[in-house]
Amino acid sequence: MESIKVNILGKQIPLKVEDSEVENTRKIAQYVDEKFKLFRNQFSNQPDSTIMILACLSITEELFELRTELNQSDEKESELMDKINDEISKLIKDIS
């Protein structure tokens, strides 16, 4: 485990992460910080807790949309594989 510090909304947050996850954790923290700053700029009159909730909801919405896209892609791939398998079966049957 490695101890690192990330900055979110100007605050240093100490974390312990696996050595192999240091760079990824820094990238995630930077992304979260950018989202928080974006919402802070849009809603400057709101407290940080509200800003964080809005940013978390936005990030979660992105995650859900990507999951939906991935599931749709998997379904299309499965349908395509079924069609390919059917065509291969037909070819094998015709050759036999």
Side-chain angles (χ1 to χ4, degrees):
M1 297 289 281
E2 186 171 337
S3 294
I4 64 170
K5 291 182 182 177
V6 297
N7 282 312
I8 298 182
L9 288 179
K11 297 175 185 168
Q12 279 201 341
I13 311 293
L15 301 172
K16 284 193 178 199
V17 298
E18 295 291 333
D19 293 345
S20 61
E21 290 296 317
V22 170
E23 189 61 31
N24 194 42
T25 301
R26 289 187 194 281
K27 287 179 184 177
I28 292 169
Q30 181 180 357
Y31 185 80
V32 169
D33 185 49
E34 288 171 4
K35 279 289 191 181
F36 284 177
K37 287 177 181 175
L38 176 72
F39 278 88
R40 180 187 261 173
N41 287 338
Q42 290 178 357
F43 304 101
S44 57
N45 60 335
Q46 296 295 320
D48 282 350
S49 58
T50 301
I51 300 302
M52 290 178 187
I53 290 168
L54 292 172
C56 287
L57 289 171
S58 175
I59 292 168
T60 304
E61 179 181 25
E62 290 175 22
L63 172 65
F64 278 43
E65 287 173 359
L66 288 171
R67 281 182 179 172
T68 298
E69 289 176 22
L70 181 60
N71 287 337
Q72 290 172 348
S73 178
D74 286 348
E75 288 173 12
K76 287 179 183 176
E77 181 181 321
S78 180
E79 289 172 9
L80 181 59
M81 290 305 294
D82 288 344
K83 288 179 183 179
I84 290 170
N85 286 333
D86 287 345
E87 291 299 318
I88 290 172
S89 294
K90 287 177 186 176
L91 284 172
I92 290 172
K93 189 174 182 180
D94 289 346
I95 292 173
S96 301

